[in-house]
Amino acid sequence: MLDLYIASKAGFTGERIIYDGPFKPVEALREALEKEVLLINCESFTELERLNNIAKKAGIKQPIGLRVNPYTRPSFLRSLHPKTLLEEAAFCFPKCRFGFSIEETRMAFNYLKKMKNLSLECLMMHPYHRAISVLMPLFREAYEKFEFEMKYLNIGGGFDPGTTSSTGDLLLALDYIKARLGIKSSKNKEKRAQKIEDVAKTIIEELKRSLGDLPEPTLITEPGRFIAGPAGLLLLRVDHVKVAGGYKWVVVDGGTNIVPIFYERRRLLVANNGSALNTELVNVVGPLLYPKDFVAIKTTLPDVKEGDIIAVLDCGAYSLSSSTQFLYPRPPAVLVNTEGYVKTIREKETFDDVICKDRF
Amino acid sequence: MLDLYIASKAGFTGERIIYDGPFKPVEALREALEKEVLLINCESFTELERLNNIAKKAGIKQPIGLRVNPYTRPSFLRSLHPKTLLEEAAFCFPKCRFGFSIEETRMAFNYLKKMKNLSLECLMMHPYHRAISVLMPLFREAYEKFEFEMKYLNIGGGFDPGTTSSTGDLLLALDYIKARLGIKSSKNKEKRAQKIEDVAKTIIEELKRSLGDLPEPTLITEPGRFIAGPAGLLLLRVDHVKVAGGYKWVVVDGGTNIVPIFYERRRLLVANNGSALNTELVNVVGPLLYPKDFVAIKTTLPDVKEGDIIAVLDCGAYSLSSSTQFLYPRPPAVLVNTEGYVKTIREKETFDDVICKDRF
């Protein structure tokens, strides 16, 4: 609902909107339908039933997609791999819960043949790199066996801008052991992302190969993070530097309140001294009272001091949008382009903004 | 700064405020001083130096406390315990970075003898259960050897309301293995918290024993979470129920956007059917697009259906205050007391509230 509202405010009309997501209450579906969005990508049988009822009442046939989820629970033995165990098995394999499994997708095809007010036009999955091999056999089946008029193939997102990498408890723990044993860390190795042009080429070639005699669908991708991520950087001020527990801690004025996901490894620069060499291994931490209020874990920086400004690159996606007002009002956002054009696109919050909804 | 502002707005005058926290820029210290707060608890030598300069300019002697941190890095061998390795070592032993180590506290005593505009009156540490045994030897030293006029002993927080417990990846992974091997889970065992009266008694007795001939300090505690936590509950609406990956998923209209820390195990009730028996093992998940948008992992509930209202108990602390506006505006807060008095103390946010700072 908020997403549809913001898209409209930003000037997007219905035919430029695809409505997606695992949570779509009746009101949200009704609104998407009223806005005449291009497609609604459905994730459950409940949603299909709901949407068919709404479309029926409105007297229309609603174009939809199905989100296909090829992720399945591994065998018990394979689930014992530490990474799978700690990140998937411990959390009940939460990736399973999105969309339709392959088997359910076929059930949905049958189900949709009976739904008079829904028109299946799209198959979707995420992330892109397995999408075509997973979706194309189903796409063919939908078209040839079930005779749906398939128009779109949505291969989701997951495109790598090459500017961040992820880490996790296990990798960080391994790195600690390596450091203690005097083995060189592999954590800060530069990795090279594939050029986006090459990624596009590979996708198109794979699609053409598997398409055969099928009519060519419109290809839809979701490169939101790829575009927005590297477009934003966060400026933080060094408050003080402290040595504790054998590490150097650079305390700055923003942390997980502004950049919530500290497992993302981002590049840091000293903005007021860009040419200085990175000589020190430090942790950069925010102002909150949590031990894990990290901006960066074990990163190299020049010798920084109070008042230095640290630029955290690749903060354009899922940072300000999922920031909190816990202890600090949120910072402004400023648009700068290569021609030197500067504009505040989001005002700085005041203390009163934070409590404006409170009634004493 | 925001904390001082909110405290003032709520009617607290300076002498009822103790200013605490690992991040206190010069402006914040200056403001605390101007507000004539009872104490400023300092966490670093940088802060002591800053505060002394500010107090000097203002021509006053500022009462302060020192935050003592007894946490030290374990030996390499001991750090290899899986829990320590994944939660501490991987993250560079982040608990070390707060306050002064025992050794640094003694250095700070010496340092403070030379600081003419600071008056040490308090020692502080967190959490309470080790506080007296850690603080009292230092308190005695400060009083007898360094001749500070010690007035306060601040034993921090960490009081257990007995209504939540924490879990973590490791425990959840272990529980998964147990379940697969047919061993009974120990995860949902009821634990019994000590009565707060008994906790208080133990503290007082321990303090009296270790006090000896020292003048009796005023005892300060920080029971914020103990009071606020159980006082708040969150009402969530069931949107739909789904089976995937061998688990049942109850999808509700609020998740880690409102209750960010899903490692807290809270008690859940079906508010519109309070007497129903818990018969099913389910995961309760929120509306976001992240796999780990959990409200509760492997909890038992009655057979819930669309439209049911789930009450999540113990949501009064660190929930709404650290909530985000990611995809959904924030809910209202309603005060209800035992006499049936009902008042909205925080208004529901609108879509426009979420984007009110954006400039198009």
Side-chain angles (χ1 to χ4, degrees):
Chain A
M1 312 271 279
L2 178 60
D3 35 15
L4 282 173
Y5 182 79
I6 292 177
S8 297
K9 277 269 175 187
F12 288 91
T13 49
E15 79 278 6
R16 295 184 67 198
I17 297 174
I18 295 168
Y19 195 45
D20 236 346
F23 178 81
K24 305 193 200 79
V26 172
E27 315 84 78
L29 289 171
R30 199 177 288 133
E31 203 193 314
L33 192 132
E34 278 163 13
K35 277 201 164 31
E36 299 183 26
V37 300
L38 184 71
L39 283 169
I40 298 176
N41 285 333
C42 297
E43 302 224 4
S44 69
F45 287 101
T46 308
E47 197 183 331
L48 292 178
E49 196 189 338
R50 264 181 204 172
L51 189 54
N52 190 62
N53 288 339
I54 296 167
K56 196 172 174 177
K57 261 184 210 150
I60 63 153
K61 191 153 186 168
Q62 174 63 41
I64 65 157
L66 293 179
R67 175 170 176 183
V68 180
N69 184 354
Y71 185 82
T72 51
R73 213 174 137 145
S75 69
F76 182 50
L77 219 67
R78 279 183 53 212
S79 71
L80 295 179
H81 183 288
K83 202 172 146 63
T84 312
L85 192 60
L86 286 170
E87 292 177 10
E88 292 296 324
F91 297 97
C92 307
F93 307 99
K95 281 198 272 180
C96 285
R97 72 177 169 92
F98 298 108
F100 296 89
S101 69
I102 307 279
E103 196 193 332
E104 286 170 336
T105 305
R106 294 208 172 91
M107 286 165 62
F109 288 164
N110 274 306
Y111 183 79
L112 283 169
K113 287 311 277 184
K114 287 171 268 170
M115 296 289 109
K116 297 296 168 213
N117 296 84
L118 299 179
S119 144
L120 181 65
E121 301 185 358
C122 174
L123 290 182
M124 179 266 194
M125 83 157 263
H126 173 90
Y128 81 89
H129 52 78
R130 285 183 60 199
I132 289 178
S133 63
V134 167
L135 292 182
M136 277 314 292
L138 291 165
F139 190 86
R140 178 173 295 276
E141 214 172 312
Y143 184 80
E144 291 182 346
K145 185 173 158 197
F146 290 90
E147 298 178 334
F148 291 115
E149 287 178 38
M150 303 302 290
K151 291 185 192 163
Y152 306 98
L153 197 72
N154 185 335
I155 59 172
F159 301 98
D160 181 7
T163 48
T164 52
S165 57
S166 275
T167 183
D169 313 21
L170 269 181
L171 280 177
L172 289 167
L174 191 67
D175 186 69
Y176 161 78
I177 295 174
K178 276 185 175 173
R180 284 299 310 245
L181 299 177
I183 302 166
K184 212 183 159 192
S185 164
S186 55
K187 204 174 43 56
N188 284 311
K189 254 187 202 159
E190 285 284 322
K191 53 149 203 172
R192 191 184 293 269
Q194 236 190 319
K195 263 194 209 159
I196 194 69
E197 292 82 358
D198 294 338
V199 172
K201 222 172 136 185
T202 311
I203 291 170
I204 297 298
E205 278 167 9
E206 194 187 350
L207 179 60
K208 280 192 175 156
R209 258 201 315 277
S210 53
L211 204 56
D213 53 345
L214 289 174
E216 207 169 85
T218 299
L219 193 66
I220 298 171
T221 65
E222 301 178 3
R225 181 185 206 115
F226 181 86
I227 296 168
L233 63 81
L234 175 67
L235 296 177
L236 298 169
R237 185 184 302 271
V238 175
D239 184 72
H240 66 283
V241 180
K242 192 174 178 176
V243 174
Y247 292 96
K248 199 160 183 175
W249 304 85
V250 177
V251 184
V252 294
D253 60 356
T256 48
N257 51 332
I258 311 176
V259 201
I261 310 155
F262 66 82
Y263 285 124
E264 300 278 345
R265 297 192 64 79
R266 296 180 166 89
R267 210 175 141 209
L268 271 57
L269 293 171
V270 179
N272 54 311
N273 191 7
S275 60
L277 292 174
N278 289 349
T279 50
E280 295 197 302
L281 187 78
V282 299
N283 294 309
V284 182
V285 291
L288 304 184
L289 29 73
Y290 304 117
K292 290 188 187 168
D293 184 30
F294 280 101
V295 173
I297 303 172
K298 289 199 239 177
T299 192
T300 50
L301 274 184
D303 183 25
V304 292
K305 54 184 191 312
E306 187 182 327
D308 277 343
I309 305 293
I310 291 181
V312 187
L313 305 193
D314 205 69
C315 286
Y318 304 106
S319 47
L320 205 47
S321 57
S322 49
S323 61
T324 79
Q325 294 173 314
F326 184 55
L327 290 178
Y328 301 92
R330 289 177 291 192
V334 178
L335 179 72
V336 184
N337 74 7
T338 44
E339 280 90 49
Y341 172 83
V342 176
K343 190 194 169 196
T344 298
I345 51 171
R346 189 181 161 92
E347 304 274 343
K348 181 181 170 171
E349 287 180 345
T350 64
F351 292 167
D352 277 325
D353 288 330
V354 177
I355 59 168
C356 70
K357 290 288 167 179
D358 292 325
R359 298 288 165 261
F360 292 97
Chain B
M1 311 271 278
L2 177 60
D3 35 16
L4 282 173
Y5 182 79
I6 292 176
S8 297
K9 278 270 174 185
F12 289 92
T13 49
E15 79 278 6
R16 295 183 67 197
I17 296 174
I18 295 168
Y19 195 45
D20 236 346
F23 178 81
K24 305 193 200 80
V26 172
E27 314 84 78
L29 289 171
R30 199 177 288 134
E31 203 193 313
L33 192 133
E34 278 163 14
K35 277 201 164 31
E36 299 183 26
V37 300
L38 184 72
L39 282 169
I40 298 176
N41 285 333
C42 297
E43 302 224 4
S44 69
F45 287 101
T46 308
E47 197 182 331
L48 291 178
E49 196 189 338
R50 264 182 205 171
L51 189 55
N52 191 62
N53 288 338
I54 296 167
K56 196 172 174 178
K57 262 184 209 148
I60 63 153
K61 191 155 186 167
Q62 174 64 41
I64 64 157
L66 293 178
R67 175 169 177 183
V68 180
N69 184 354
Y71 184 82
T72 51
R73 212 174 139 146
S75 69
F76 182 51
L77 219 67
R78 279 184 53 212
S79 71
L80 295 180
H81 184 288
K83 203 172 145 64
T84 313
L85 192 60
L86 286 170
E87 292 177 10
E88 292 297 324
F91 297 97
C92 308
F93 307 99
K95 281 197 272 181
C96 284
R97 72 177 169 91
F98 298 107
F100 296 89
S101 69
I102 307 279
E103 196 193 332
E104 286 170 336
T105 304
R106 294 208 172 91
M107 285 166 61
F109 288 163
N110 274 307
Y111 183 79
L112 284 169
K113 286 311 277 183
K114 288 170 268 170
M115 296 288 109
K116 297 296 168 214
N117 296 83
L118 299 179
S119 146
L120 180 66
E121 301 185 358
C122 174
L123 291 181
M124 179 266 194
M125 83 157 262
H126 173 89
Y128 81 90
H129 53 78
R130 284 183 61 199
I132 289 176
S133 63
V134 168
L135 292 181
M136 277 313 292
L138 291 165
F139 190 87
R140 178 173 295 276
E141 215 172 313
Y143 184 80
E144 291 182 346
K145 185 172 159 198
F146 290 90
E147 298 178 332
F148 291 114
E149 288 179 37
M150 302 302 289
K151 292 185 191 164
Y152 306 98
L153 197 71
N154 185 335
I155 59 171
F159 301 97
D160 181 7
T163 48
T164 52
S165 58
S166 275
T167 183
D169 313 19
L170 268 181
L171 280 177
L172 288 167
L174 191 66
D175 186 69
Y176 161 78
I177 295 174
K178 276 185 176 173
R180 283 299 309 244
L181 299 177
I183 302 166
K184 212 183 159 192
S185 164
S186 55
K187 205 175 41 58
N188 285 311
K189 255 188 203 158
E190 285 285 321
K191 52 149 205 172
R192 192 183 292 270
Q194 236 190 320
K195 264 194 209 159
I196 194 69
E197 293 81 358
D198 294 338
V199 172
K201 222 173 135 185
T202 311
I203 290 170
I204 297 298
E205 279 166 8
E206 193 187 350
L207 179 59
K208 279 192 176 155
R209 258 201 315 277
S210 54
L211 204 56
D213 54 345
L214 289 175
E216 206 170 86
T218 299
L219 193 66
I220 297 171
T221 65
E222 301 178 4
R225 178 183 209 118
F226 181 86
I227 295 168
L233 63 80
L234 175 67
L235 297 178
L236 298 169
R237 185 184 301 271
V238 175
D239 184 72
H240 65 282
V241 179
K242 191 174 179 175
V243 174
Y247 292 96
K248 199 161 184 175
W249 304 85
V250 177
V251 184
V252 294
D253 61 355
T256 47
N257 51 331
I258 311 176
V259 201
I261 310 155
F262 65 82
Y263 285 124
E264 300 279 343
R265 297 192 64 79
R266 297 179 165 88
R267 210 176 140 208
L268 270 57
L269 293 171
V270 179
N272 54 310
N273 191 6
S275 60
L277 292 174
N278 289 349
T279 50
E280 295 197 302
L281 187 78
V282 299
N283 295 309
V284 182
V285 291
L288 304 184
L289 30 71
Y290 304 117
K292 290 188 187 168
D293 185 30
F294 280 102
V295 173
I297 303 172
K298 287 199 240 178
T299 192
T300 51
L301 274 185
D303 183 25
V304 292
K305 55 185 192 311
E306 187 182 327
D308 277 343
I309 304 293
I310 291 182
V312 187
L313 305 193
D314 206 69
C315 285
Y318 304 106
S319 47
L320 205 46
S321 58
S322 48
S323 61
T324 80
Q325 293 172 315
F326 184 55
L327 290 178
Y328 301 92
R330 289 176 290 192
V334 178
L335 179 73
V336 183
N337 74 6
T338 44
E339 280 90 49
Y341 172 83
V342 176
K343 190 192 169 197
T344 299
I345 52 172
R346 189 181 161 92
E347 304 273 343
K348 181 181 170 171
E349 286 180 345
T350 64
F351 293 167
D352 277 325
D353 288 331
V354 177
I355 59 168
C356 69
K357 289 288 167 180
D358 292 325
R359 298 290 165 260
F360 293 97

